[in-house]
Amino acid sequence: MKGYKNFQVAIYCPAPFLKDVALQEIEEGLNFFNQHLRISKVYLETHRGGVDVEKEKVLKVKEFFEKEGVKASGGITTTISLENDEFRDLRIFNTFCYTNPEHLKKLVEIVEFTASMFDEIILDDFYFTSCRCPSCLEEKGDLSWEEFRLNLMASVSEEYVVKPAKKVNPEVKMIIKYPNWIESYQETGYNPEAQAEIFDYVYTGTETRDPLFTHQHLPRYSSYSLMRFFDEVKPGKNLGGWFDSFDCVYNIGYYLEQAYLTLFSRTKEITLFDFSSLRNSVFIPPLGHQLNLLDSILGELGNPAGIPVYYPFNSYGEDHLYDYLGMVGIPLYPTPYFPEDSNLIFIIANSAMDKDILNKLKRYLLTGKNIVMTSGFLKAVQGKGGEDFTSLRVTDKKVISNFFGVKAQGLGFSRYVHGPKKIVLPVLDYRNNATWPEIVGMDGENNFPILMNDSYGRGGVFTLTVPDNFSDMYYLPREVLTEIRKVFMMGNPFHIECEGKIGLFTYDNDTFIIESFLPYRTPVNIFIKDKDKKLIDMEEGFEYKLAFSSEKENLYKVDLEPSTFRVFKMVSDNE
């Protein structure tokens, strides 16, 4: 069966499954997948936990897949089960202790064994450490856990993984897969800044599942944003996104959504975990249908665009805030490099961990460009020079409100709107007419900044007040969200008007995708600034009727079904 035009599909076979499975079962499983998918690659895992697959078995399975026209690569999961390992159960997920000589010896054996059979090897995302055993404590010394683990895992990656693999097989390409929990990398030794230079390729974990009932509590937009982050980390060498079906049984839409969002990044490969659990499952038939649909339209999209979020390596502060905003129709992507070429940058508390951030912002703003900064960033730089940009000051007070004034007009606001839920907001003080209010929250006989406007040099400085619970952004009234979107989209040819939990994905050729994260149908208004442009539905191939036209823009109305996406293109009349 021929593969897809715009991406390929791989499937992962874990070691406990491979060790005991009969070839006939693998053949039957592949037949099932081939009924619905076009599988191009398989990753065959040689080690996981206490399981090592014998070489003869690995080679037999490899030979089977290659005869079926499926490329076979190797896989390793760095969990371990050795006798007399007294600290095994104290390490989360039984990961290796990377200061234990016996463990390091075993790691080299696994890597060399796998490299002797494969020209490509991927490390599953258990390649981290949370070990605090006496040996780790001794080697850590006076360093912080973050410093110690970042240095340790960079060294282990080079000396105990990549070098041994290439010694056995100089042609082997080593891939490190990063997990979905980017906010914790530095605390667990994941070190993209160093490891991107050590490994040949990176891979991205795009599992999001349910954000409420699973302990990782990841906004679903991160299936897209993390792909974009690693595209920035190692351009052209982020091979793909990997997701699974765990905790998706009660909502297959969550499973399919991981595939959509991963592929919206225009990646060239997705990996399904795993062969054993997905064979004869309910997930594969609908996935196959949706992949055919995606393949028919992805080729029409340009390169992913959007607004950069400055997210320095090893930073923390407002974890996943950009993902929550991505869930309300703002096309954001994180980058570890200061994006000076962009006309607008989103600056969050994480950005303040760059010690030179204020100087970078001053130089940037003097060129006439704009920033949106959060109340969290302002708090982080308050008293350190942040006062140069605004009269706003973060206080230790809070307010609870669901009533808002939108767009200052005269001495009041053009609209006053209620949201469906009261939310907790930090209170910012400011000086009237030194900083201008765009949106305020109201309570009692007082109001409080939500979106504020300053200037610096030739540039604009917008400050966004962020709720204590980031997901409360979803419950801001659509009028409030629309004005916030307009600021972020000021340099774009269009913007949308809708409630929260609607995702927007933009590309550099006047195409874009709108996806609903809602469980019900919702209207979306699309405002196109170029009045000579019309709106085309790329999936259905029809032109939308103009709903309204003003001097500045054309309005098109779209009804979006629950948990679905639509792909659009803006075209001129002569195209």
Side-chain angles (χ1 to χ4, degrees):
M1 181 182 293
K2 292 183 179 179
Y4 299 95
K5 293 181 295 182
N6 294 293
F7 54 88
Q8 69 178 19
V9 175
I11 194 159
Y12 195 90
C13 294
F17 167 69
L18 284 180
K19 184 174 180 65
D20 298 320
V21 71
L23 279 176
Q24 182 179 347
E25 289 182 69
I26 293 179
E27 182 176 3
E28 291 170 354
L30 184 60
N31 288 338
F32 168 76
F33 290 117
N34 284 339
Q35 291 175 36
H36 308 285
L37 303 174
R38 308 175 203 177
I39 302 292
S40 299
K41 185 195 286 190
V42 63
Y43 289 101
L44 303 179
E45 187 177 79
T46 61
H47 170 89
R48 177 180 293 248
V51 177
D52 293 285
V53 187
E54 294 179 357
K55 189 166 189 174
E56 182 181 2
K57 181 64 172 291
V58 175
L59 292 175
K60 281 185 178 179
V61 176
K62 180 175 184 251
E63 181 184 21
F64 164 77
F65 277 109
E66 290 176 342
K67 284 183 178 178
E68 295 294 323
V70 177
K71 178 183 175 181
S73 296
I76 298 170
T77 292
T78 49
T79 54
I80 191 168
S81 178
L82 295 179
E83 293 183 8
N84 302 319
D85 184 355
E86 61 178 310
F87 302 108
R88 177 182 180 274
D89 294 333
L90 299 180
R91 296 190 303 273
I92 295 174
F93 291 115
N94 308 130
T95 52
F96 279 63
C97 170
Y98 294 100
T99 64
N100 183 319
E102 188 178 4
H103 286 204
L104 291 172
K105 179 182 177 183
K106 176 67 175 177
L107 177 61
V108 171
E109 290 174 357
I110 295 165
V111 167
E112 291 179 342
F113 173 75
T114 310
S116 71
M117 296 180 286
F118 297 100
D119 290 335
E120 183 180 75
I121 301 170
I122 190 169
L123 300 186
D124 194 358
D125 62 10
F126 291 82
Y127 184 56
F128 69 92
T129 178
S130 60
C131 187
R132 291 186 175 91
C133 74
S135 174
C136 287
L137 287 169
E138 181 178 353
E139 289 207 22
K140 170 183 172 293
D142 294 331
L143 296 174
S144 69
W145 282 112
E146 177 181 322
E147 292 170 322
F148 167 65
R149 288 169 175 164
L150 287 172
N151 293 337
L152 173 67
M153 295 309 291
S155 175
V156 169
S157 296
E158 187 165 14
E159 299 299 327
Y160 294 91
V161 176
V162 175
K163 282 185 178 179
K166 292 183 180 290
K167 180 180 179 181
V168 170
N169 180 0
E171 303 302 317
V172 70
K173 302 299 181 185
M174 299 299 294
I175 309 165
I176 178 171
K177 179 209 169 188
Y178 287 96
N180 45 10
W181 29 273
I182 183 176
E183 76 287 347
S184 302
Y185 286 172
Q186 65 274 6
E187 193 71 18
T188 57
Y190 274 117
N191 190 345
E193 184 175 19
Q195 290 168 328
E197 299 300 318
I198 297 169
F199 286 87
D200 298 291
Y201 298 100
V202 299
Y203 218 90
T204 308
T206 58
E207 309 94 332
T208 47
R209 316 179 189 100
D210 183 284
L212 176 61
F213 296 108
T214 57
H215 60 77
Q216 291 180 333
H217 61 92
L218 298 171
R220 288 137 67 187
Y221 187 85
S222 63
S223 289
Y224 170 81
S225 69
L226 195 60
M227 288 296 302
R228 296 294 309 279
F229 178 77
F230 280 108
D231 286 343
E232 294 281 307
V233 170
K234 201 167 176 70
K237 294 188 177 182
N238 176 18
L239 289 188
W242 164 322
F243 55 91
D244 58 47
S245 62
F246 302 148
D247 295 298
C248 296
V249 172
Y250 66 95
N251 189 337
I252 292 179
Y254 281 160
Y255 178 69
L256 300 177
E257 190 174 85
Q258 294 174 112
Y260 307 156
L261 295 172
T262 303
L263 288 168
F264 288 171
S265 73
R266 298 303 318 273
T267 187
K268 295 303 181 184
E269 181 177 288
I270 59 173
T271 291
L272 311 181
F273 189 89
D274 70 297
F275 193 102
S276 176
S277 63
L278 290 174
R279 54 181 176 155
N280 299 318
S281 75
V282 298
F283 298 104
I284 295 304
L287 176 63
H289 175 80
Q290 292 301 91
L291 291 183
N292 286 333
L293 169 62
L294 284 161
D295 194 38
S296 69
I297 58 177
L298 286 175
E300 301 299 317
L301 302 177
N303 297 312
I307 299 103
V309 185
Y310 183 38
Y311 191 102
F313 285 114
N314 308 321
S315 66
Y316 51 84
E318 290 174 307
D319 295 337
H320 292 282
L321 173 60
Y322 52 85
D323 288 323
Y324 289 96
L325 287 168
M327 297 281 289
V328 298
I330 302 173
L332 297 165
Y333 69 93
T335 174
Y337 309 111
F338 188 81
E340 58 187 18
D341 293 334
S342 177
N343 289 321
L344 185 144
I345 302 174
F346 187 36
I347 301 296
I348 60 178
N350 305 60
S351 312
M353 296 192 75
D354 178 344
K355 294 179 181 179
D356 195 39
I357 184 60
L358 297 181
N359 289 326
K360 288 179 179 177
L361 290 178
K362 288 175 182 179
R363 292 192 294 268
Y364 178 83
L365 289 165
L366 285 170
T367 66
K369 299 176 180 179
N370 303 290
I371 67 169
V372 180
M373 65 182 183
T374 65
S375 50
F377 173 78
L378 184 59
K379 182 178 180 180
V381 297
Q382 195 161 286
K384 302 176 183 178
E387 295 79 6
D388 282 355
F389 299 104
T390 179
S391 73
L392 286 157
R393 303 291 184 268
V394 182
T395 74
D396 59 0
K397 296 178 286 188
K398 305 288 183 182
V399 66
I400 300 175
S401 178
N402 69 336
F403 187 38
F404 303 90
V406 180
K407 294 299 291 182
Q409 188 175 69
L411 294 177
F413 293 86
S414 64
R415 282 162 290 169
Y416 298 89
V417 295
H418 283 88
K421 175 186 175 183
K422 289 191 173 184
I423 62 179
V424 179
L425 295 157
V427 173
L428 279 64
D429 286 339
Y430 72 102
R431 305 281 73 85
N432 279 318
N433 296 323
T435 297
W436 188 253
E438 301 285 347
I439 304 171
V440 298
M442 299 175 170
D443 185 59
E445 294 190 7
N446 203 353
N447 63 61
F448 310 90
I450 299 294
L451 181 67
M452 307 295 283
N453 188 356
D454 288 277
S455 63
Y456 187 94
R458 296 182 178 87
V461 177
F462 295 86
T463 303
L464 177 66
T465 301
V466 178
D468 282 10
N469 180 347
F470 296 165
S471 69
D472 279 344
M473 299 292 298
Y474 306 159
Y475 303 105
L476 292 171
R478 62 186 290 148
E479 295 89 349
V480 171
L481 289 174
T482 296
E483 292 304 321
I484 294 172
R485 293 183 192 112
K486 284 181 181 179
V487 170
F488 277 99
M489 297 292 286
M490 66 174 68
N492 286 270
F494 75 102
H495 69 90
I496 63 174
E497 180 183 67
C498 55
E499 62 182 298
K501 300 187 81 169
I502 300 293
L504 174 63
F505 308 86
T506 58
Y507 301 85
D508 65 0
N509 65 341
D510 280 344
T511 59
F512 60 96
I513 298 171
I514 300 177
E515 178 176 5
S516 173
F517 298 104
L518 292 166
Y520 50 82
R521 182 187 300 111
T522 189
V524 178
N525 293 333
I526 302 172
F527 294 87
I528 298 179
K529 298 174 185 178
D530 186 341
K531 292 175 63 62
D532 293 329
K533 296 276 188 180
K534 55 189 178 182
L535 188 67
I536 304 295
D537 185 298
M538 294 177 64
E539 180 185 347
E540 302 294 337
F542 68 83
E543 178 183 342
Y544 278 89
K545 292 183 179 179
L546 182 64
F548 178 79
S549 182
S550 69
E551 293 183 4
K552 296 182 178 180
E553 54 195 6
N554 290 334
L555 166 62
Y556 296 89
K557 293 181 175 289
V558 174
D559 284 327
L560 202 58
E561 296 296 323
S563 299
T564 59
F565 63 88
R566 304 285 286 277
V567 186
F568 302 97
K569 185 175 180 65
M570 296 174 288
V571 299
S572 301
D573 289 332
N574 57 3
E575 291 185 49

